């Protein structure tokens, strides 16, 4: 069984957690192109070619996907998620669910998970009355996955920011969502 955590949006990532606790990452930004309404759209073909084809070649028959779902706040259409997050969520859900099911005899269970739901399972991240910082997710992911700590930051190798460390909060949150998905849904599959 594979557990997939997805932090949608251009800076997001896909983290795949296998039964041995090994993590594999795909940065969602690598599947974006310059078309669509926002001129920065998730390309389902690129996503399929990288992520879905990789999942397709895995021996596991059941794949449980936990994807942070976009949220509305208040009444009407008060949006608390960037449009890329809404777009990504829909494309990811469709491509993962339909793509894998049509290609092979795999079972894909897709769960949209509200941010508060998965965040509450990590006490270090849950602050009900204050905004959570992305750095906290990176710190928690490094604590829970120390052997993959180098995957949650990178060092800039070119340009004026050469040598600076950049937090890969999308990867950290995807890994935390994958672990949450495993903890919640493993027995229900």
């Amino acid at each position: 069984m594979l557990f997939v955590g997805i932090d949608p949006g251009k800076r997001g990532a896909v983290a795949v957690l296998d039964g041995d606790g090994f993590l594999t990452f795909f940065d969602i930004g690598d599947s974006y192109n310059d078309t669509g309404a926002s001129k920065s759209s998730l390309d389902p073909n690129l996503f399929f070619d990288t992520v879905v084809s990789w999942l397709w070649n895995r021996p596991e028959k059941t794949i449980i996907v936990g994807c942070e779902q976009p949220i509305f706040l208040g009444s009407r259409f008060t949006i608390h998620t960037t449009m890329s997050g809404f777009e990504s969520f829909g494309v990811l859900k469709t491509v993962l669910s339909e793509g894998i099911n049509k290609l092979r005899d795999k079972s894909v269970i897709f769960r949209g998970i509200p941010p508060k739901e998965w965040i509450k399972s990590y006490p270090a991240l849950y602050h009900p009355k204050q905004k959570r910082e992305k750095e906290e997710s990176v710190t928690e992911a490094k604590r829970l996955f120390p052997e993959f700590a180098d995957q949650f930051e990178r060092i800039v190798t070119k340009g004026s920011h050469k040598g600076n460390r950049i937090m890969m909060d999308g990867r950290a949150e995807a890994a935390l969502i994958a672990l949450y998905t495993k903890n919640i849904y493993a027995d229900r599959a």
Side-chain angles (χ1 to χ4, degrees), residues 22-182:
F22 189 81
L23 280 168
T24 303
F25 294 98
F26 300 93
D27 295 316
I28 290 179
D30 293 343
S31 295
Y32 270 71
N33 62 26
D34 295 328
T35 62
S38 65
K39 297 295 182 211
S40 182
S41 299
L42 183 65
D43 183 327
N45 294 314
L46 283 173
F47 185 77
F48 184 92
D49 291 343
T50 55
V51 180
V52 177
S53 62
W54 184 88
L55 290 169
W56 177 35
N57 288 310
R58 295 287 301 200
E60 294 86 353
K61 296 292 182 197
T62 302
I63 302 169
I64 301 177
V65 180
C67 184
E68 183 175 88
Q69 68 185 28
I71 56 172
F72 288 97
L73 293 175
S75 62
R76 312 262 306 147
F77 290 103
T78 305
I79 299 173
H80 189 67
T81 303
T82 62
M83 289 313 291
S84 68
F86 280 101
E87 179 185 37
S88 293
F89 182 81
V91 171
L92 295 167
K93 182 176 182 179
T94 302
V95 172
L96 281 166
S97 298
E98 297 301 318
I100 292 175
N101 287 334
K102 286 183 180 175
L103 290 174
R104 263 212 193 146
D105 58 341
K106 293 191 186 280
S107 171
V108 178
I109 300 166
F110 190 96
R111 304 280 188 225
I113 302 172
K116 271 190 176 177
E117 184 179 316
W118 73 263
I119 291 168
K120 280 183 181 180
S121 69
Y122 299 104
L125 302 182
Y126 184 62
H127 314 298
K129 302 226 185 236
Q130 66 188 47
K131 185 177 181 201
R132 177 181 56 86
E133 299 298 326
K134 295 290 188 175
E135 296 86 13
E136 294 174 289
S137 295
V138 172
T139 301
E140 185 72 355
K142 285 181 177 182
R143 184 184 73 76
L144 293 169
F145 300 103
E147 64 275 20
F148 299 100
D150 63 327
Q151 295 293 311
F152 304 121
E153 64 182 17
R154 69 177 177 89
I155 297 175
V156 179
T157 58
K158 298 183 202 174
S160 61
H161 298 286
K162 184 177 179 178
N164 289 351
R165 289 187 186 275
I166 296 177
M167 288 184 304
M168 305 292 284
D169 56 272
R171 285 184 175 193
E173 293 195 353
L176 295 172
I177 294 167
L179 182 59
Y180 170 82
T181 301
K182 178 182 178 189

